[in-house]
Amino acid sequence: MPFTANRQFKAHPRLLARAEGMHYWTADGHQVIDAVAGLWCVNAGHGRREISEAVARQLSVMEYAPAFQMGHPIAFELANRLAAIAPPGMDRVFFTNSGSESVDTALKIAIGYHRARGAGQRTRFIGREMGYHGVGFGGMSVGGMVNNRKFFGSSMLPGVDHLPHTLDIGHNAFSRGLPQWGMHLANELERLVALHDASTIAAVIVEPISGSAGVLLPPVGYLKRLREICDKHDILLIFDEVITGFGRAGKPFAAQAFDVTPDLMTTAKGLSNGAIPMGAVFTQRKVYDAFMQGPENTIELFHGYTYSAHPVACAAALATLDIYTKEELLTRAAALSPTWEDAVHSMRGLPHVIDVRNYGLIAAVELEPSAGTPGARAFEVFLKCFERGVMVRQSGDVIALSPPLIVERGHIAQIVETLSQVIRETA
Ligand SMILES: Cc1ncc(COP(=O)(O)O)c(C=O)c1O
């Protein structure tokens, strides 16, 4: 089982059998409120008929079409719809099937871009400690989650270095929204550029807000500073928006929420509401144009997946975008954020709570690790919450929350009340 304590699970299975709106139902009929949008992906809530009907329709019209040397209309329709909500200039889209594939695709595009411009020696990547960019060899290498890396030791991509992460509870505990301290951490990029020389570096990749490592927020001004340094040295900036894309941060993309435009942006998850696997890499027009040279009948990018722009996934994504637009879900997190912030910060002062952090409709409650067993306390909280009808996500000693963007105030109250009660009872 993926990222699962197999033996614990098999001894005490947690089986989800049905879903509707904000809720799952277990195989034995218990209702569970979904405080993590499945796995940060079901942004429009569960059981959306518009999506299942679009999928059924597409399956009956054309279940599959190849995207190598061929195309189909709804792939282009979807790309255009996505470009219309993307940050300025990001109007080229490459379709994948997951976040991990989006990341590996973006890394390859970055290398290809420099090569096409005569800078083939720019192959190095700069990631960040505690970053999560999926589980492909590229994403694992630029990522910075120790457990995801250490088992695979020497199989990392060569030529990767890492910025320091931005989590500093000493300076920023219980910040509401973006932390004030830490912008200077972006200057570490200058140090890495001086060490490796800009002429060897293809791209910097960061999550605007890290989710999987336990919700790490960018300090005020940090992302702008990264952008400035990348511009100065002609290094591409990649935002991994697999979690933050599609409304999580209160704008369609976190790039817009933070007013910093990257050169490439990786997405997945909320793109199709989790209904059908799909990812997309957005690029600035200049990146696309750099590849468009040489004889017209040559392939410009030697990369792609059998299921790139899968018609059924495209149909699911188009129906998802319709819901996002009609229900104004891509900005709803901004409107709800003050309520969300007050609710989650009410957990300050509970036993073992050493930090609460939030942005948009994301929050983390960090617990003091129990002596000698890091992660055990938060895992117990996760299990007890589930027993009491609330599904949260545990990462190390952090409980992460990211409900579907259709969440109402009553749901927020229920999630926070249950979590508070469980934290109080967990030694
Ligand atoms: C920022 C980020 N990038 C990439 C991924 C990998 O996505 P997937 O699991 O769809 O491969 C994730 C998954 O959580 C993610 O959070």
Side-chain angles (χ1 to χ4, degrees):
M1 296 181 71
F3 284 117
T4 297
N6 276 249
R7 288 158 299 162
Q8 192 280 339
F9 183 93
K10 284 168 187 172
H12 307 280
R14 297 171 291 282
L15 295 173
L16 303 172
R18 187 166 76 80
E20 184 75 38
M22 282 292 299
H23 295 96
Y24 282 109
W25 281 263
T26 62
D28 51 3
H30 291 288
Q31 191 187 54
V32 180
I33 188 165
D34 181 2
V36 275
L39 206 46
W40 316 78
C41 49
V42 187
N43 289 2
H46 296 277
R48 300 304 305 242
R49 289 265 302 284
E50 305 91 320
I51 301 174
S52 50
E53 283 168 8
V55 164
R57 244 190 336 268
Q58 185 57 44
L59 274 171
S60 63
V61 172
M62 181 175 73
E63 80 296 339
Y64 175 77
F68 296 5
Q69 303 285 20
M70 299 297 295
H72 60 85
I74 65 169
F76 289 96
E77 185 187 343
L78 177 59
N80 287 330
R81 289 277 301 278
L82 290 170
I85 60 165
M90 305 202 79
D91 65 354
R92 303 287 107 176
V93 182
F94 188 98
F95 290 114
T96 71
N97 310 288
S98 67
S100 299
E101 287 182 2
S102 289
V103 167
D104 282 5
T105 299
L107 298 178
K108 288 170 80 172
I109 290 176
I111 288 178
Y113 164 79
H114 289 295
R115 189 173 192 277
R117 295 165 72 237
Q121 79 287 358
R122 281 189 183 257
T123 54
R124 195 180 291 280
F125 296 115
I126 308 291
R128 193 167 56 183
E129 296 164 359
M130 291 179 82
Y132 182 62
H133 301 292
V135 292
F137 280 99
M140 174 177 75
S141 305
V142 294
M145 289 181 71
V146 177
N147 284 330
N148 294 358
R149 295 166 55 88
K150 69 181 181 194
F151 289 101
F152 312 106
S154 60
S155 309
M156 300 287 159
L157 287 187
V160 175
D161 212 336
H162 292 78
L163 290 162
H165 66 75
T166 61
L167 181 64
D168 190 310
I169 293 181
H171 285 97
N172 291 326
F174 302 103
S175 292
R176 286 173 169 252
L178 298 191
Q180 292 297 329
W181 182 94
M183 174 186 161
H184 65 279
L185 295 170
N187 294 330
E188 286 295 303
L189 181 54
E190 284 285 21
R191 192 180 60 77
L192 294 179
V193 171
L195 176 67
H196 299 296
D197 197 76
S199 68
T200 70
I201 303 175
V204 170
I205 179 166
V206 292
E207 302 152 273
I209 299 173
S210 314
S212 301
V215 181
L216 276 58
L217 299 168
V220 172
Y222 173 91
L223 294 172
K224 277 205 160 77
R225 185 76 192 111
L226 282 188
R227 177 72 273 183
E228 285 164 10
I229 299 171
C230 285
D231 283 344
K232 182 172 148 197
H233 298 291
D234 206 10
I235 296 168
L236 294 174
L237 179 60
I238 306 173
F239 277 178
D240 186 346
E241 296 234 20
V242 167
I243 275 179
T244 50
F246 303 100
R248 183 63 48 203
K251 289 270 171 77
F253 300 96
Q256 294 148 327
F258 299 136
D259 195 21
V260 178
T261 304
D263 300 295
L264 294 102
M265 196 167 73
T266 53
T267 68
K269 296 197 189 260
L271 167 59
S272 53
N273 207 39
I276 301 282
M278 188 174 215
V281 180
F282 294 65
T283 82
Q284 287 287 344
R285 178 67 74 96
K286 72 165 186 192
V287 174
Y288 176 86
D289 286 348
F291 285 85
M292 298 305 126
Q293 48 179 295
E296 283 203 358
N297 62 353
T298 59
I299 291 170
E300 294 97 353
L301 176 64
F302 282 90
H303 177 73
Y305 303 98
T306 298
Y307 301 123
S308 281
H310 193 288
V312 179
C314 289
L318 281 168
T320 301
L321 287 181
D322 285 343
I323 297 173
Y324 289 158
T325 309
K326 198 164 127 220
E327 300 180 10
E328 298 181 1
L329 293 181
L330 297 182
T331 49
R332 191 159 188 272
L336 267 182
S337 179
T339 306
W340 176 249
E341 183 171 288
D342 285 344
V344 296
H345 280 272
S346 72
M347 290 183 274
R348 180 176 187 166
L350 292 178
H352 308 299
V353 171
I354 58 172
D355 191 18
V356 175
R357 31 189 195 267
N358 69 286
Y359 195 88
L361 269 175
I362 306 181
V365 181
E366 180 145 0
L367 304 174
E368 196 180 5
S370 42
T373 50
R377 182 173 278 135
F379 188 58
E380 194 180 333
V381 167
F382 156 72
L383 292 176
K384 284 187 183 162
C385 280
F386 189 75
E387 276 166 23
R388 301 202 194 164
V390 177
M391 191 173 91
V392 299
R393 175 103 185 105
Q394 174 240 343
S395 170
D397 287 292
V398 172
I399 297 294
L401 303 172
S402 61
L405 305 175
I406 58 165
V407 67
E408 296 290 351
R409 282 158 208 267
H411 301 127
I412 295 175
Q414 184 196 343
I415 292 165
V416 171
E417 270 166 34
T418 307
L419 179 55
S420 302
Q421 217 170 31
V422 167
I423 290 174
R424 265 189 224 105
E425 292 167 15
T426 305

